[in-house]
């Protein structure tokens, strides 16, 4: 089993739709969690950290479920500009923090 | 946020030459930086963890003698691809970790093409 798993998609949704991605992780020692977005041929950019209590940033909501070992990202009112690959990142301790990336979920928002 | 720069943004070189890529954290100090490689339509692959003042930790399958990493200061890490071959052509991305938030910030990447 991969350490961090994401459905690669693509998720193809119309503008204005609500879409949710999940990411599961296998290492219970994982300590911090993030969502990044990556546009084609660009570097990943931090979208948001994921906190135990859940957190929201505008149209984006992230949640963490430690018991089931998954994190989620909800995007409301999708825009064309949300089209990208969304990467789940999980940090675990191994002396220092060791980040592990999911392979990413592709989102395509169409008019 | 935080700013990480990477230089050069792209490089084309002949087979057998060495290429040096620099990664700098511009507005914060980073004791830990990471080097990744990404092939087209594939996920980021962690190559090594670069720790300031100590030897880098390489992931399994990554040759430390081929990919030399130096983290000489709290704001600079370098990756040197030695004796590059066409199969080394890839998108190399660095990131720097802010210790106060455990958050990685990525450089813009270096596209390496080896002829």
């Amino acid at each position: 089993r991969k350490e961090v798993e994401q459905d690669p998609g693509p998720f193809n949704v119309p503008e204005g739709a609500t879409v949710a991605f999940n990411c599961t992780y296998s290492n219970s020692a994982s300590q911090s969690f993030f969502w990044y977005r990556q546009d084609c041929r660009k570097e990943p950019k931090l979208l948001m950290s994921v906190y135990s209590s859940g957190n929201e940033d505008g149209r984006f909501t992230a949640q963490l479920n430690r018991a089931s070992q998954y994190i989620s990202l909800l995007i409301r009112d999708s825009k064309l500009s949300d089209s990208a690959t969304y990467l789940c990142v999980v940090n675990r301790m191994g002396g220092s923090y060791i980040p592990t990336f999911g392979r990413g979920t592709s989102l395509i928002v169409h008019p | 946020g935080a700013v990480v720069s990477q230089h050069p943004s792209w490089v084309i070189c002949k087979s057998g030459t060495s290429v040096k890529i620099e990664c700098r954290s511009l507005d914060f100090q980073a004791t830990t930086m990471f080097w990744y490689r990404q092939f087209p339509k594939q996920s980021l692959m962690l190559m090594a963890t670069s720790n300031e003042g100590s030897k880098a930790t390489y992931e399994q399958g990554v040759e430390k003698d081929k990919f030399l990493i130096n983290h000489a200061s709290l704001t600079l890490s370098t990756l040197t691809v030695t004796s590059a071959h066409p199969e080394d052509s890839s998108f190399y991305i660095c990131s720097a970790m802010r210790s106060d938030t455990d958050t990685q910030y990525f450089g813009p990447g270096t596209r390496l093409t080896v002829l």
Side-chain angles (χ1 to χ4, degrees), chain A residues 7-75:
Chain A
D7 180 346
F11 285 60
N12 212 314
V13 303
E15 265 187 294
T18 295
V19 62
F21 309 135
N22 277 346
C23 167
T24 58
Y25 60 95
S26 60
N27 193 323
S28 58
S30 299
Q31 298 197 331
S32 49
F33 309 86
F34 306 88
W35 284 102
Y36 285 77
R37 70 169 278 168
Q38 186 176 24
D39 294 287
C40 188
R41 297 174 69 84
K42 298 280 189 180
E43 78 278 17
K45 291 193 186 298
L46 178 66
L47 185 63
M48 58 199 306
S49 305
V50 187
Y51 303 120
S52 297
S53 54
N55 47 301
E56 189 173 305
D57 183 1
R59 298 181 293 109
F60 299 86
T61 301
Q63 292 196 309
L64 166 64
N65 186 316
R66 283 191 185 271
S68 301
Q69 296 185 192
Y70 75 84
I71 66 172
S72 63
L73 177 69
L74 181 78
I75 305 176

Side-chain angles (χ1 to χ4, degrees), chain B residues 17-31:
Chain B
T17 59
S18 293
V19 175
K20 187 176 183 179
I21 304 170
E22 292 187 350
C23 179
R24 293 180 187 272
S25 56
L26 299 184
D27 54 355
F28 67 99
Q29 292 184 330
T31 53

Side-chain angles (χ1 to χ4, degrees), chain B residues 76-94:
Chain B
L76 173 64
S77 176
T78 60
L79 169 69
T80 301
V81 183
T82 62
S83 187
H85 290 284
E87 58 265 30
D88 298 324
S89 299
S90 188
F91 189 44
Y92 291 85
I93 313 175
C94 73

Side-chain angles (χ1 to χ4, degrees), chain B residues 63-74:
Chain B
E63 298 174 58
K64 62 180 178 161
D65 295 327
K66 181 168 180 63
F67 299 99
L68 301 178
I69 290 172
N70 185 283
H71 194 153
S73 77
L74 287 171

